């Protein structure tokens, strides 16, 4: 078997994914004198693991039906004029989880006016964390299922209708099978995001595995943190296997030139549900947090405080997010193609590695890469020259981003690639086009929605990212907007933190808006 | 079948972008700024360090992160670390590095410029500024005459049920470490357990507690003194409170400090930086701009901040604040971490 370019690129990606894991394993083997395994037997470990799994399952259970409904409403339904378009529910994607959690804890607690009005207690713990994480991960489902819906043709549904199939049967036998891959990967993304999230659970005081893992990192127990990180990875494996089983039984390509569906009018209960979901998601995920940030700015203006200039952080953010997203999507393309088109164990194993590895929290990704670079430097005996060069050249940072967010890019690309009809592709090849023409006229347009979704997902994720940027970007002198928001917030310079947060949101919103516009035009 | 052209195009674009990034962000060979790992925020110390660069012409490469994450990174990096100076928010992390022989001794003449109460007892690190552990309270919910007289009173149900605290915070853990030395394990454990069972609310850090006290979410919080001033909330629904009991262990001064990484003790530029940080001008900066307590004798505190000489501070050695591992173990055992 010859090594084709996609296979070589897929191999490169797998190598990348395994780099930090290698660094962490090496550090674990070398040992720090302690006994990290005692953590496994420690009291409370079982409860931590259980709470992590429960949180991930609850959030995914909430976002899967809600996100799919919003995607359907966005793509297939005629909404009443008074309702905002369903794509506004994608906006929380632009919000960092710690920011949403901080704002909601303040607003919905006894101190905020919505909290006083609701008359509840402190907004913290398991269920508030589940709610915040659901609002933030719901756009994954809506975006990916929406892209799948946009690529699926209405003609099959119409044929089924003409043959006398009712709405439920049409949904079950025609629409749902086409959406399975997108539903499966978006459920996985949500699971992996919740398992690896630290921001929301830290702010809302929900004691899960990542919460404990960060404590270990902060207290110089990298070996224990590594074990905790690997436990997170192990928790992801059954979820990936389950999602793969579901997909293989039902997956089926869509068509390349879909006929747009006729938008259906929404019945009353569906309008009410849509309105409620939009209110909940946009209210909690965007309006309250943005309102809190604006409140901080107004407070500062009243006290006559000035703001630090934001040009530098804005430039740094756009630079790393753009380049990081380009690299990540580029690296995910070949494996996604193989996973979507290939058969057998290889593609499935690759998918397993990609999703599992992305459950590794950012701080461990960063430490894993640093430790590996240190090992290389020590092996060369160069006194740290290679280690420092790798940091200052930005290579570790880009690797960190690619690894941290490859699952997002992979998921978005894979579900679109899975819908390209092989027969139709063969028909195009029979015309013997040049590879460039095949790409420009056939593959490019077919893959564009998925590629745009992948780029935007990763771009926005990097804009918000903190631990990898802090650890691997500081040697480059990077001061991104997320760094600025973190730095100012922790030192209680709230106006500066708010200004950075709002600009970060503006960039993310613009990226989302562009991708939505593009999606409508392809 | 593979499609070589699109993949080649993609690879070329990626390679060029990567090259541009590497070349534009990569190191310049003839520059070697002093590398500072700073656990103190850019918002706090950035302007001062920029002034240092302008005044001395010495260039700095400052890498900001949490103090604790930087300490973990420094220990992992060992001799390969590029860091020459570590500026920690809490002296505990400097103690952890000194315990692993990672710090070079600070020159005596520089140590001598600082009040000896606040420096490392072994001369491993240099104090740069301090912040006082206090209660922040909402006077309309809990007026001053009802506030606790001593730290130990917090375990009473009437306080514990309305208290906020941040067990994950470095200052909190250092304070518990001091209590373990002062009160012993049994008394500290009983006190923490009573507060936990009384219903104290956990916060991720200090500043949200100050805001929570100001907006009435909690009646009192256990924090450091300067957040009230930074947030401009003094007289806006919140006030600081120090314990009136004589030499109460609640009135503890926590210091931030700098350590010099082993192998860099002889670097003149590093020495210049240390001298600068304890100079009258820098100490005035801490007092007036960041509302902290200066550690150099004779430098006045900010007018809004209660001067230290008005307080009866306990005489607790700084080394009690250094090894926070037993405190963390206790907090973990009690389910607070």
């Amino acid at each position: 078997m010859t090594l084709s370019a996609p296979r070589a690129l897929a191999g490169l990606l797998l190598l990348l994914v395994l780099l930090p894991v290698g660094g962490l394993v090496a550090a674990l083997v070398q040992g720090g004198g302690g006994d990290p395994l005692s953590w496994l037997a420690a009291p409370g470990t079982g409860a931590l693991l259980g709470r992590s799994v429960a949180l991930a399952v609850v959030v995914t259970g909430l976002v899967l039906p809600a996100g799919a409904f919003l995607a359907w409403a966005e793509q297939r339904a005629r909404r009443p004029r008074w309702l905002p378009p369903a794509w506004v529910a994608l906006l929380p994607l632009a919000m960092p989880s710690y920011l949403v959690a901080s704002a909601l804890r303040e607003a919905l607690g006894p101190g905020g006016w919505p909290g006083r009005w609701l008359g509840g207690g402190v907004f913290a713990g398991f269920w508030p964390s589940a709610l915040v994480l659901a609002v933030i991960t719901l756009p994954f489902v809506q975006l990916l299922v929406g892209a799948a819906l946009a690529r699926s043709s209405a003609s099959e549904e119409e044929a089924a209708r003409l043959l006398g199939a009712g709405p439920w049967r049409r949904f079950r036998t025609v629409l749902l099978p086409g959406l399975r891959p997108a539903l499966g990967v978006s459920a996985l993304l949500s699971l992996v995001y919740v398992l690896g999230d630290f921001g929301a659970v830290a702010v809302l005081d929900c004691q899960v595995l990542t919460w404990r893992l960060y404590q270990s990192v902060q207290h110089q127990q990298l070996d224990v943190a590594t074990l905790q990180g690997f436990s997170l990875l192990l928790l992801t494996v059954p979820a990936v296997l389950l999602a793969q089983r579901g997909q293989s039984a039902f997956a089926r390509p869509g068509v390349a030139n879909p006929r747009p569906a006729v938008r259906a009018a929404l019945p009353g209960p569906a309008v009410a549900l849509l309105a409620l979901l939009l209110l909940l998601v946009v209210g909690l995920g965007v309006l309250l947090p943005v309102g809190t940030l604006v409140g901080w700015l107004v407070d500062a203006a009243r006290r006559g405080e000035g703001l630090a200039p934001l040009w530098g952080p804005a430039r740094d953010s756009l630079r790393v997010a753009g380049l990081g997203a380009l690299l990540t999507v580029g690296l995910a393309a070949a494996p996604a193609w193989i996973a979507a088109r290939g058969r057998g164990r290889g593609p499935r194993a690759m998918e397993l590695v990609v999703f599992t590895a992305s459950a590794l929290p950012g701080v461990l990704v960063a430490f894993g890469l640093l430790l590996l670079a240190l090992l290389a430097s020590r092996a060369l005996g160069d006194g740290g020259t290679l280690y420092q060069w790798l940091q200052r050249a930005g290579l570790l940072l880009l690797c960190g981003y690619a690894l941290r967010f490859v699952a997002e890019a992979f998921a978005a690309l894979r579900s679109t690639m899975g819908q390209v009809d092989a027969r139709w592709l063969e028909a195009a090849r029979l015309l013997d086009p040049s590879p460039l023409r095949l790409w420009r006229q056939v593959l490019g347009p077919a893959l564009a929605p998925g590629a745009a979704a992948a780029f935007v997902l990763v771009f926005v994720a990097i804009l918000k990212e903190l631990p990898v940027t802090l650890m691997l970007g500081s040697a480059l002198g990077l001061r991104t907007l997320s760094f600025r928001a973190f730095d100012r917030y922790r030192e209680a310079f709230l106006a500066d933190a708010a200004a950075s947060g709002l600009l970060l949101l503006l960039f993310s919103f613009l990226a989302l808006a562009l991708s939505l516009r593009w999606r409508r035009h392809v | 079948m593979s499609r070589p052209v699109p993949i080649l195009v993609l690879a070329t674009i990626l390679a060029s972008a990567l090259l541009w990034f590497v070349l534009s962000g990569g190191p310049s060979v003839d520059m070697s700024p002093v590398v500072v790992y700073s656990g103190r925020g850019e918002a706090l110390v950035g302007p001062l360090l920029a002034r240092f660069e302008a005044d001395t012409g010495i260039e700095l490469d400052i890498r900001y992160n949490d103090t604790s994450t930087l300490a973990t990174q420094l220990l992992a990096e060992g001799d390969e670390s590029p860091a020459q100076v570590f500026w920690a928010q809490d002296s505990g992390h400097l103690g952890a590095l000194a315990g692993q022989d990672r710090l070079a001794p600070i020159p005596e003449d520089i140590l001598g410029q600082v009040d000896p109460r606040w420096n490392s007892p072994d001369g491993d690190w240099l104090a740069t500024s301090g912040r006082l552990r206090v209660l922040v309270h909402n006077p309309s919910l809990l007026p001053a005459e009802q506030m606790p007289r001593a730290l130990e009173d917090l375990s009473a149900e009437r306080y514990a049920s309305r208290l906020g605290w941040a067990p994950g915070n470095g200052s909190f853990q250092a304070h518990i470490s001091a209590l373990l030395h002062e009160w012993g394990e049994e008394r500290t454990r009983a006190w923490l357990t009573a507060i936990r069972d009384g219903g104290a609310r956990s916060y991720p850090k200090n500043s949200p507690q100050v805001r929570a006290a100001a907006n009435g979410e909690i009646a009192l919080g256990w924090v450091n003194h300067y957040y009230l001033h930074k947030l401009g909330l003094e007289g806006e629904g919140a006030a600081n409170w120090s314990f009136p009991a004589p030499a109460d262990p609640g009135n503890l001064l926590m210091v931030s400090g700098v350590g010099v990484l082993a192998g860099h003790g002889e670097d003149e530029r590093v020495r210049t930086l240390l001298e600068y940080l304890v100079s009258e001008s820098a100490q005035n900066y801490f007092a007036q701009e960041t509302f902290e307590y200066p550690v150099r004798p004779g430098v006045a505190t900010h007018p809004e901040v209660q001067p230290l000489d008005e307080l009866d501070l306990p005489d607790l050695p700084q080394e009690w604040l250094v090894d926070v591992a037993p405190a963390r173990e206790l907090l973990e055992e009690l389910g607070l971490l």
Side-chain angles (χ1 to χ4, degrees):
Chain A
M1 190 177 74
T2 55
L3 190 68
S4 67
R7 276 176 204 273
L9 274 176
L12 181 68
L13 178 92
L14 286 189
L15 191 69
L16 190 71
V17 163
L18 294 172
L19 279 181
V21 175
L24 291 169
V25 169
L28 198 61
V29 170
Q30 284 174 355
D35 177 17
L37 283 173
S38 64
W39 168 77
L40 284 173
T45 297
L48 276 178
L49 290 171
R51 216 173 290 121
S52 280
V53 173
L55 190 66
V57 169
V58 164
V59 170
T60 307
L62 286 173
V63 297
L64 214 49
F69 173 70
L70 285 170
W72 179 79
E74 185 192 348
Q75 298 289 334
R76 294 293 171 87
R78 213 167 44 237
R79 69 188 153 86
R81 288 226 172 120
W82 56 272
L83 263 184
W87 60 258
V88 297
L90 293 174
L91 295 179
L93 192 66
M95 308 291 288
S97 65
Y98 59 88
L99 197 64
V100 177
S102 304
L104 293 189
R105 179 165 182 155
E106 201 161 301
L108 297 178
W113 66 262
R116 275 197 298 273
W117 183 68
L118 290 167
V122 175
F123 187 79
F126 183 88
W127 290 104
S129 302
L131 185 64
V132 166
L133 288 166
V135 165
I136 290 169
T137 54
L138 189 129
F140 287 141
V141 184
Q142 190 180 344
L143 205 62
L144 297 187
V145 174
L149 273 172
R151 296 299 315 159
S152 73
S153 172
S155 48
E156 285 182 42
E157 288 170 60
E158 275 169 32
R161 189 166 54 84
L162 289 175
L163 290 170
W168 170 243
R169 184 147 183 231
R170 287 205 303 275
F171 168 75
R172 202 166 45 85
T173 56
V174 182
L175 197 58
L176 188 62
L179 298 184
R180 289 255 175 186
L183 283 170
V185 285
S186 51
L188 265 182
L189 277 186
S190 161
L191 271 171
V192 168
Y193 186 98
V194 176
L195 283 175
D197 175 78
F198 171 68
V201 293
V203 173
L204 296 174
D205 197 29
C206 180
Q207 300 189 6
V208 290
L209 199 52
T210 41
W211 182 86
R212 176 53 67 81
L213 185 150
Y214 271 77
Q215 298 278 347
S216 306
V217 169
Q218 297 206 321
H219 296 106
Q220 292 84 52
Q221 296 175 309
L222 257 189
D223 48 357
V224 177
T226 298
L227 266 191
Q228 289 162 336
F230 288 169
S231 311
L232 272 176
L233 302 192
L234 283 180
L235 291 181
T236 319
V237 172
V240 181
L241 293 177
L242 208 66
Q244 283 183 336
R245 266 177 80 100
Q247 278 173 40
S248 60
F250 293 97
R252 169 203 73 149
V255 292
N257 263 336
R259 205 148 56 75
V262 180
R263 287 176 178 263
L266 280 175
V271 173
L273 181 65
L274 181 61
L276 184 72
L277 271 176
L278 290 179
L279 183 73
L280 206 66
V281 172
V282 179
L284 296 180
V286 182
L287 296 180
L288 275 179
V290 168
T292 306
L293 294 184
V294 171
W296 291 352
L297 273 181
V298 171
D299 273 354
R302 235 180 27 208
R303 288 200 302 270
E305 277 176 31
L307 288 176
L310 285 171
W311 164 242
R315 191 196 51 209
D316 279 359
S317 278
L318 293 177
R319 189 175 164 204
V320 293
L323 189 58
L326 199 65
L327 182 75
T328 310
V329 174
L331 278 169
W337 183 260
I338 293 174
R341 320 294 301 176
R343 296 263 176 275
R345 284 190 188 159
R348 289 169 147 247
M350 192 161 56
E351 200 174 47
L352 182 69
V353 172
V354 166
F355 278 108
T356 308
S358 52
L360 201 62
V363 69
L364 280 189
V365 169
F367 263 114
L369 288 169
L370 283 184
L371 289 169
L372 201 68
L374 273 170
L375 273 180
S377 229
R378 281 173 192 154
L380 289 174
D382 66 357
T385 309
L386 175 67
Y387 171 69
Q388 291 172 36
W389 183 82
L390 284 170
Q391 279 196 68
R392 298 186 68 173
L395 292 176
L396 292 185
L397 177 73
L398 290 177
C399 278
Y401 285 146
L403 172 59
R404 186 77 190 84
F405 300 118
V406 70
E408 272 94 333
F410 180 88
L413 289 171
R414 187 203 178 289
S415 64
T416 307
M417 288 171 171
Q419 287 193 322
V420 176
D421 193 330
R423 290 161 301 179
W424 177 75
L425 206 57
E426 283 312 311
R429 283 207 191 105
L430 285 178
L431 300 171
D432 200 19
S434 68
L436 194 63
R437 194 164 166 218
L438 182 74
W439 180 257
R440 210 184 50 195
Q441 296 190 337
V442 182
L443 273 175
L447 300 182
F455 182 85
V456 169
L457 276 175
V458 179
F459 180 82
V460 170
I462 295 178
L463 277 183
K464 301 189 294 186
E465 205 284 334
L466 196 56
V468 171
T469 310
L470 271 178
M471 282 190 67
L472 304 180
S474 66
L476 293 158
L478 282 180
R479 306 280 189 263
T480 61
L481 288 169
S482 63
F483 164 79
R484 179 67 79 84
F486 154 80
D487 185 78
R488 273 30 179 199
Y489 179 68
R490 82 173 164 148
E491 300 298 350
F493 288 81
L494 296 183
D496 270 346
S500 311
L502 286 170
L503 191 57
L504 189 104
L505 292 180
L506 180 72
F507 285 155
S508 305
F509 287 159
L510 286 178
L512 279 178
L514 276 179
S515 89
L516 289 170
R517 204 183 144 84
W518 191 27
R519 199 163 91 183
R520 276 199 294 275
H521 280 87
V522 286
Chain B
M1 190 185 102
S2 64
R3 267 152 297 281
V5 169
I7 285 165
L8 270 180
V9 170
L10 195 66
T12 313
I13 294 172
L14 281 175
S16 337
L18 206 62
L19 198 65
W20 165 74
F21 190 76
V22 168
L23 292 180
S24 61
S28 137
V29 184
D30 52 351
M31 303 269 278
S32 61
V34 175
V35 178
V36 179
Y37 279 16
S38 176
R40 308 221 69 200
E42 188 192 33
L44 284 184
V45 302
L48 180 72
L49 293 176
R51 224 163 68 186
F52 167 81
E53 287 183 300
D55 289 351
T56 62
I58 296 171
E59 212 184 323
L60 302 176
D61 171 358
I62 314 156
R63 308 191 183 175
Y64 296 100
N65 205 335
D66 277 329
T67 298
S68 45
T69 309
L70 286 173
T72 307
Q73 187 175 343
L74 279 167
L75 287 173
E77 286 175 339
D79 292 337
E80 277 77 20
S81 179
Q84 286 154 283
V85 174
F86 177 36
W87 196 351
Q89 181 82 352
D90 308 289
S91 58
H93 291 95
L94 290 165
L97 285 173
Q100 306 253 352
D101 296 326
R102 293 292 307 131
L103 297 183
I106 305 286
E108 288 288 340
D109 58 319
I110 301 181
L111 283 172
Q113 297 180 39
V114 169
D115 187 327
R117 285 179 296 173
W118 314 130
N119 270 336
S120 151
D122 302 320
D124 296 316
W125 48 267
L126 176 74
T128 51
S129 61
R131 53 211 183 278
L132 190 67
R133 296 287 293 165
V134 296
L135 291 178
V136 63
H137 70 119
N138 182 321
S140 58
L141 295 175
L142 199 61
E145 55 274 18
Q146 293 175 21
M147 287 295 285
R149 305 277 308 158
L151 180 69
E152 204 163 11
D153 297 345
L154 280 183
S155 59
E157 203 270 337
R158 67 181 182 282
Y159 297 125
S161 61
R162 305 164 79 186
L163 177 77
W165 62 1
N169 177 270
S171 300
F172 181 101
Q173 293 173 6
H175 205 154
I176 300 299
S177 171
L179 294 180
L180 280 173
H181 283 92
E182 177 77 359
W183 289 348
E185 192 188 332
E186 200 177 324
R187 190 168 154 198
T188 309
R189 180 199 301 272
W191 181 75
L192 284 170
T193 307
I195 296 181
R196 181 198 65 187
D197 295 347
R201 291 170 186 170
S202 283
Y203 285 81
K205 53 209 281 293
N206 282 321
S207 55
Q209 283 186 74
V210 179
R211 294 175 62 80
N215 66 30
E217 184 174 317
I218 49 176
L220 69 171
W222 193 20
V223 297
N224 297 334
H225 79 277
Y226 59 174
Y227 292 102
L228 180 78
H229 309 293
K230 279 197 218 168
L231 291 166
L233 288 172
E234 200 184 16
E236 302 260 336
N240 275 345
W241 175 261
S242 292
F243 300 98
D248 190 80
N251 303 334
L252 197 61
L253 192 84
M254 305 281 184
V255 298
S256 296
V258 285
V260 177
L261 275 298
H264 300 285
E266 302 302 316
D267 191 328
E268 267 308 309
R269 298 172 307 163
V270 170
R271 190 191 151 87
T272 309
L273 176 61
L274 298 186
E275 279 179 328
Y276 192 86
L277 293 179
V278 294
S279 68
E280 210 166 304
S281 136
Q283 292 293 305
N284 259 318
Y285 171 89
F286 293 126
Q288 304 306 322
E289 303 293 328
T290 68
F291 301 98
E292 289 177 278
Y293 287 103
V295 291
R296 185 186 181 97
V299 178
T301 51
H302 191 281
E304 284 178 22
V305 175
Q306 186 177 23
L308 279 187
D309 51 22
E310 289 180 10
L311 293 162
D312 183 6
L313 294 185
D315 187 19
L316 305 182
Q318 281 292 312
E319 65 253 37
W320 284 8
L321 308 177
V322 168
D323 180 17
V324 295
R328 283 199 322 99
E329 277 167 25
L330 179 60
L331 292 170
E332 274 179 25
E333 193 190 309
L334 295 175
L336 294 168
L337 271 188

